[in-house]
Amino acid sequence: MALADRIRSIFGGARTTTYAKSIEYTAIASVTIPANQPANSLNPVSIQIDPQQPPVENIRVYPDETWVIEDMFITTAPGVEGVVRVIRNNRDIVFQSNPLSVYNVNNPARPGITPIVMYPDELYNFFYVNTSPGQANAITVTFYLKLRRLVK
């Protein structure tokens, strides 16, 4: 699908903004689940978009850009099962994933995600809600986000 058509489909058919550039990244997301943590705990996720920059726990989209998370995947089974939750401006849940294990790249039935549109000058936080209790030792879960930056 051409980029213009993909943007139209993400924004519901209306394309009101022309973008001069589209930049694609694969961001690394990681979260450490403390030892013996109870199930259904909210854990902040660190995201590293640029390998030259340190990971961050929140993302503020630049005023002249719109970001779209197009896919999410893992390469190994998570040590502790859970779901990913994306919160906008510290109040609105804009996305909650299926259990992370279904996004394994080796799963032939791996579902895609509904694209997550991240609007200009908005703050986004990512959390991992562990649906099973933590293990005897702390476990780090790593997953990946296919991210597209649309620059005006």
Side-chain angles (χ1 to χ4, degrees):
M1 178 183 297
L3 178 60
D5 294 331
R6 185 160 182 86
I7 293 168
R8 264 195 283 303
S9 71
I10 291 169
F11 290 102
R15 183 170 176 220
T16 57
T17 305
T18 300
Y19 295 99
K21 184 168 41 168
S22 171
I23 307 165
E24 189 175 302
Y25 294 91
T26 299
I28 302 169
S30 64
V31 57
T32 299
I33 309 301
N36 303 312
Q37 184 180 58
N40 299 314
S41 297
L42 198 64
N43 301 282
V45 173
S46 294
I47 298 178
Q48 186 173 20
I49 296 170
D50 182 344
Q52 308 269 325
Q53 299 295 321
V56 295
E57 288 190 357
N58 58 55
I59 296 171
R60 181 167 299 278
V61 178
Y62 302 122
D64 61 341
E65 297 185 11
T66 298
W67 294 11
V68 180
I69 297 175
E70 299 178 332
D71 197 10
M72 178 171 62
F73 61 94
I74 59 172
T75 56
T76 60
V80 176
E81 186 64 91
V83 297
V84 176
R85 188 178 289 171
V86 180
I87 298 178
R88 180 179 60 220
N89 294 329
N90 295 317
R91 67 175 182 269
D92 302 321
I93 298 172
V94 295
F95 175 79
Q96 182 162 309
S97 73
N98 292 314
L100 192 59
S101 61
V102 304
Y103 298 105
N104 193 313
V105 294
N106 298 314
N107 175 3
R110 180 173 78 90
I113 64 168
T114 302
I116 305 164
V117 179
M118 299 170 65
Y119 295 100
D121 212 28
E122 303 262 352
L123 180 69
Y124 292 86
N125 299 86
F126 293 72
F127 293 94
Y128 190 75
V129 181
N130 56 310
T131 55
S132 60
Q135 299 179 6
N137 297 316
I139 298 287
T140 298
V141 176
T142 301
F143 58 98
Y144 303 88
L145 302 168
K146 181 180 172 189
L147 171 69
R148 183 176 303 275
R149 288 176 51 197
L150 304 171
V151 182
K152 292 181 187 173

Short mmCIF file of all heavy atoms in Angstrom, two decimals, residues 89-123:
data_model
loop_
_atom_site.label_atom_id
_atom_site.label_comp_id
_atom_site.label_asym_id
_atom_site.label_seq_id
_atom_site.Cartn_x
_atom_site.Cartn_y
_atom_site.Cartn_z
N ASN A 89 -1.24 11.77 27.64
CA ASN A 89 -1.37 12.91 28.55
C ASN A 89 -1.72 12.50 29.98
O ASN A 89 -2.49 13.17 30.67
CB ASN A 89 -2.39 13.91 28.02
CG ASN A 89 -1.93 14.54 26.73
OD1 ASN A 89 -0.74 14.71 26.51
ND2 ASN A 89 -2.86 14.87 25.86
N ASN A 90 -1.18 11.37 30.41
CA ASN A 90 -1.35 10.87 31.78
C ASN A 90 -2.79 10.60 32.19
O ASN A 90 -3.11 10.57 33.37
CB ASN A 90 -0.69 11.83 32.79
CG ASN A 90 0.80 11.90 32.61
OD1 ASN A 90 1.46 10.89 32.42
ND2 ASN A 90 1.34 13.10 32.67
N ARG A 91 -3.69 10.42 31.19
CA ARG A 91 -5.08 10.17 31.59
C ARG A 91 -5.86 9.25 30.66
O ARG A 91 -6.72 8.53 31.11
CB ARG A 91 -5.84 11.48 31.77
CG ARG A 91 -6.04 12.27 30.51
CD ARG A 91 -6.91 13.52 30.73
NE ARG A 91 -7.11 14.18 29.49
CZ ARG A 91 -6.35 15.14 29.00
NH1 ARG A 91 -5.33 15.57 29.70
NH2 ARG A 91 -6.60 15.69 27.84
N ASP A 92 -5.60 9.27 29.36
CA ASP A 92 -6.41 8.50 28.41
C ASP A 92 -5.68 7.25 27.96
O ASP A 92 -4.58 7.33 27.42
CB ASP A 92 -6.74 9.34 27.17
CG ASP A 92 -7.47 10.63 27.50
OD1 ASP A 92 -8.32 10.60 28.40
OD2 ASP A 92 -7.17 11.65 26.85
N ILE A 93 -6.30 6.08 28.14
CA ILE A 93 -5.74 4.84 27.61
C ILE A 93 -6.12 4.79 26.14
O ILE A 93 -7.29 4.74 25.79
CB ILE A 93 -6.29 3.61 28.35
CG1 ILE A 93 -5.90 3.66 29.83
CG2 ILE A 93 -5.77 2.32 27.70
CD1 ILE A 93 -6.54 2.58 30.68
N VAL A 94 -5.11 4.85 25.26
CA VAL A 94 -5.38 4.86 23.83
C VAL A 94 -5.14 3.50 23.18
O VAL A 94 -5.51 3.28 22.03
CB VAL A 94 -4.56 5.95 23.10
CG1 VAL A 94 -5.00 7.33 23.55
CG2 VAL A 94 -3.07 5.77 23.30
N PHE A 95 -4.52 2.58 23.93
CA PHE A 95 -4.26 1.25 23.37
C PHE A 95 -3.98 0.29 24.50
O PHE A 95 -3.31 0.65 25.48
CB PHE A 95 -3.04 1.30 22.44
CG PHE A 95 -2.61 -0.05 21.92
CD1 PHE A 95 -3.30 -0.65 20.87
CD2 PHE A 95 -1.54 -0.71 22.48
CE1 PHE A 95 -2.90 -1.89 20.39
CE2 PHE A 95 -1.13 -1.95 21.99
CZ PHE A 95 -1.83 -2.53 20.95
N GLN A 96 -4.51 -0.92 24.37
CA GLN A 96 -4.10 -2.03 25.23
C GLN A 96 -3.97 -3.26 24.33
O GLN A 96 -4.90 -3.59 23.60
CB GLN A 96 -5.07 -2.29 26.38
CG GLN A 96 -4.56 -3.41 27.28
CD GLN A 96 -5.21 -3.45 28.63
OE1 GLN A 96 -5.26 -2.43 29.31
NE2 GLN A 96 -5.70 -4.60 29.01
N SER A 97 -2.84 -3.90 24.42
CA SER A 97 -2.55 -5.03 23.53
C SER A 97 -3.21 -6.31 24.01
O SER A 97 -3.73 -6.39 25.13
CB SER A 97 -1.03 -5.25 23.45
OG SER A 97 -0.54 -5.81 24.66
N ASN A 98 -3.10 -7.32 23.17
CA ASN A 98 -3.37 -8.69 23.57
C ASN A 98 -2.19 -9.13 24.45
O ASN A 98 -1.19 -8.41 24.55
CB ASN A 98 -3.45 -9.60 22.34
CG ASN A 98 -4.68 -9.29 21.50
OD1 ASN A 98 -5.78 -9.14 22.02
ND2 ASN A 98 -4.49 -9.18 20.20
N PRO A 99 -2.25 -10.31 25.05
CA PRO A 99 -1.07 -10.80 25.78
C PRO A 99 0.16 -10.76 24.86
O PRO A 99 0.09 -11.14 23.69
CB PRO A 99 -1.44 -12.24 26.16
CG PRO A 99 -2.94 -12.19 26.26
CD PRO A 99 -3.38 -11.24 25.17
N LEU A 100 1.26 -10.29 25.38
CA LEU A 100 2.44 -10.04 24.57
C LEU A 100 2.93 -11.27 23.82
O LEU A 100 3.43 -11.17 22.70
CB LEU A 100 3.56 -9.46 25.44
CG LEU A 100 4.76 -8.87 24.73
CD1 LEU A 100 4.34 -7.74 23.80
CD2 LEU A 100 5.79 -8.39 25.72
N SER A 101 2.75 -12.44 24.39
CA SER A 101 3.26 -13.66 23.75
C SER A 101 2.66 -13.91 22.37
O SER A 101 3.29 -14.54 21.52
CB SER A 101 3.02 -14.88 24.64
OG SER A 101 1.63 -15.06 24.87
N VAL A 102 1.46 -13.41 22.07
CA VAL A 102 0.86 -13.64 20.75
C VAL A 102 1.57 -12.86 19.65
O VAL A 102 1.40 -13.17 18.48
CB VAL A 102 -0.66 -13.35 20.70
CG1 VAL A 102 -1.41 -14.14 21.75
CG2 VAL A 102 -0.95 -11.88 20.81
N TYR A 103 2.37 -11.86 20.01
CA TYR A 103 3.07 -11.04 19.02
C TYR A 103 4.46 -11.59 18.68
O TYR A 103 5.26 -10.90 18.05
CB TYR A 103 3.18 -9.60 19.51
CG TYR A 103 1.84 -8.94 19.71
CD1 TYR A 103 1.32 -8.75 20.98
CD2 TYR A 103 1.06 -8.55 18.62
CE1 TYR A 103 0.09 -8.17 21.17
CE2 TYR A 103 -0.17 -7.97 18.81
CZ TYR A 103 -0.66 -7.78 20.09
OH TYR A 103 -1.89 -7.21 20.27
N ASN A 104 4.75 -12.83 19.07
CA ASN A 104 6.03 -13.46 18.77
C ASN A 104 6.18 -13.62 17.26
O ASN A 104 5.26 -14.11 16.60
CB ASN A 104 6.13 -14.82 19.47
CG ASN A 104 7.54 -15.37 19.45
OD1 ASN A 104 8.20 -15.37 18.42
ND2 ASN A 104 8.00 -15.82 20.60
N VAL A 105 7.31 -13.21 16.72
CA VAL A 105 7.52 -13.27 15.27
C VAL A 105 7.48 -14.70 14.74
O VAL A 105 7.27 -14.92 13.55
CB VAL A 105 8.84 -12.58 14.83
CG1 VAL A 105 8.78 -11.10 15.07
CG2 VAL A 105 10.03 -13.20 15.53
N ASN A 106 7.66 -15.69 15.59
CA ASN A 106 7.60 -17.09 15.18
C ASN A 106 6.18 -17.65 15.21
O ASN A 106 5.98 -18.81 14.87
CB ASN A 106 8.52 -17.94 16.07
CG ASN A 106 9.96 -17.51 15.94
OD1 ASN A 106 10.45 -17.31 14.83
ND2 ASN A 106 10.64 -17.34 17.05
N ASN A 107 5.21 -16.85 15.63
CA ASN A 107 3.82 -17.28 15.68
C ASN A 107 3.20 -17.07 14.30
O ASN A 107 3.02 -15.93 13.87
CB ASN A 107 3.08 -16.45 16.75
CG ASN A 107 1.59 -16.74 16.81
OD1 ASN A 107 1.08 -17.61 16.11
ND2 ASN A 107 0.90 -16.00 17.66
N PRO A 108 2.83 -18.14 13.59
CA PRO A 108 2.26 -17.97 12.25
C PRO A 108 0.90 -17.25 12.26
O PRO A 108 0.48 -16.70 11.26
CB PRO A 108 2.13 -19.40 11.71
CG PRO A 108 2.20 -20.27 12.91
CD PRO A 108 2.94 -19.54 13.97
N ALA A 109 0.24 -17.25 13.41
CA ALA A 109 -1.06 -16.56 13.52
C ALA A 109 -0.91 -15.22 14.25
O ALA A 109 -1.88 -14.70 14.81
CB ALA A 109 -2.05 -17.46 14.26
N ARG A 110 0.30 -14.67 14.24
CA ARG A 110 0.55 -13.41 14.95
C ARG A 110 -0.37 -12.31 14.44
O ARG A 110 -0.37 -12.00 13.25
CB ARG A 110 2.01 -12.99 14.76
CG ARG A 110 2.38 -11.69 15.47
CD ARG A 110 3.86 -11.43 15.39
NE ARG A 110 4.30 -10.91 14.13
CZ ARG A 110 4.37 -9.60 13.83
NH1 ARG A 110 4.03 -8.71 14.74
NH2 ARG A 110 4.78 -9.21 12.66
N PRO A 111 -1.16 -11.72 15.34
CA PRO A 111 -2.04 -10.64 14.88
C PRO A 111 -1.26 -9.34 14.71
O PRO A 111 -0.22 -9.14 15.33
CB PRO A 111 -3.05 -10.50 16.03
CG PRO A 111 -2.27 -10.91 17.24
CD PRO A 111 -1.31 -11.99 16.77
N GLY A 112 -1.78 -8.47 13.89
CA GLY A 112 -1.23 -7.11 13.81
C GLY A 112 -1.91 -6.29 14.91
O GLY A 112 -2.73 -6.79 15.67
N ILE A 113 -1.55 -5.04 14.98
CA ILE A 113 -2.23 -4.14 15.93
C ILE A 113 -2.95 -3.08 15.12
O ILE A 113 -2.60 -2.80 13.98
CB ILE A 113 -1.25 -3.48 16.93
CG1 ILE A 113 -0.25 -2.57 16.21
CG2 ILE A 113 -0.54 -4.52 17.76
CD1 ILE A 113 0.55 -1.68 17.14
N THR A 114 -3.96 -2.50 15.72
CA THR A 114 -4.59 -1.32 15.14
C THR A 114 -3.56 -0.20 15.28
O THR A 114 -3.03 0.00 16.38
CB THR A 114 -5.87 -0.96 15.91
OG1 THR A 114 -6.75 -2.06 15.86
CG2 THR A 114 -6.52 0.29 15.34
N PRO A 115 -3.22 0.50 14.21
CA PRO A 115 -2.20 1.55 14.33
C PRO A 115 -2.54 2.54 15.44
O PRO A 115 -3.69 2.94 15.61
CB PRO A 115 -2.23 2.23 12.96
CG PRO A 115 -2.72 1.16 12.04
CD PRO A 115 -3.72 0.39 12.85
N ILE A 116 -1.52 2.90 16.19
CA ILE A 116 -1.66 3.86 17.28
C ILE A 116 -1.15 5.19 16.77
O ILE A 116 0.04 5.35 16.50
CB ILE A 116 -0.84 3.42 18.51
CG1 ILE A 116 -1.21 2.01 18.93
CG2 ILE A 116 -1.02 4.41 19.65
CD1 ILE A 116 -0.21 1.37 19.87
N VAL A 117 -2.04 6.15 16.61
CA VAL A 117 -1.65 7.47 16.13
C VAL A 117 -1.26 8.33 17.33
O VAL A 117 -2.02 8.47 18.28
CB VAL A 117 -2.80 8.14 15.33
CG1 VAL A 117 -2.37 9.53 14.85
CG2 VAL A 117 -3.22 7.26 14.17
N MET A 118 -0.07 8.88 17.27
CA MET A 118 0.45 9.74 18.34
C MET A 118 0.50 11.16 17.78
O MET A 118 1.29 11.45 16.88
CB MET A 118 1.82 9.23 18.79
CG MET A 118 1.75 7.81 19.34
SD MET A 118 3.36 7.04 19.61
CE MET A 118 4.05 8.08 20.89
N TYR A 119 -0.33 12.02 18.33
CA TYR A 119 -0.54 13.36 17.79
C TYR A 119 0.51 14.36 18.25
O TYR A 119 1.13 14.20 19.30
CB TYR A 119 -1.94 13.84 18.15
CG TYR A 119 -3.01 13.00 17.50
CD1 TYR A 119 -3.67 12.01 18.20
CD2 TYR A 119 -3.32 13.18 16.15
CE1 TYR A 119 -4.64 11.21 17.59
CE2 TYR A 119 -4.28 12.39 15.53
CZ TYR A 119 -4.93 11.42 16.26
OH TYR A 119 -5.86 10.63 15.65
N PRO A 120 0.69 15.46 17.47
CA PRO A 120 1.69 16.46 17.80
C PRO A 120 1.50 17.05 19.20
O PRO A 120 0.37 17.28 19.65
CB PRO A 120 1.47 17.56 16.74
CG PRO A 120 0.78 16.88 15.62
CD PRO A 120 -0.04 15.78 16.24
N ASP A 121 2.63 17.27 19.86
CA ASP A 121 2.69 17.93 21.16
C ASP A 121 1.87 17.22 22.25
O ASP A 121 1.40 17.85 23.18
CB ASP A 121 2.27 19.40 21.04
CG ASP A 121 3.02 20.26 22.05
OD1 ASP A 121 4.14 19.89 22.43
OD2 ASP A 121 2.46 21.28 22.47
N GLU A 122 1.71 15.91 22.13
CA GLU A 122 1.03 15.12 23.15
C GLU A 122 2.06 14.24 23.84
O GLU A 122 3.07 13.85 23.24
CB GLU A 122 -0.07 14.24 22.53
CG GLU A 122 -1.10 15.00 21.76
CD GLU A 122 -2.37 15.27 22.55
OE1 GLU A 122 -2.54 14.74 23.64
OE2 GLU A 122 -3.18 16.03 22.03
N LEU A 123 1.81 13.92 25.11
CA LEU A 123 2.71 13.10 25.91
C LEU A 123 2.18 11.67 25.96
O LEU A 123 0.99 11.45 26.24
CB LEU A 123 2.81 13.67 27.33
CG LEU A 123 3.71 12.93 28.30
CD1 LEU A 123 5.17 13.10 27.89
CD2 LEU A 123 3.49 13.43 29.71
#
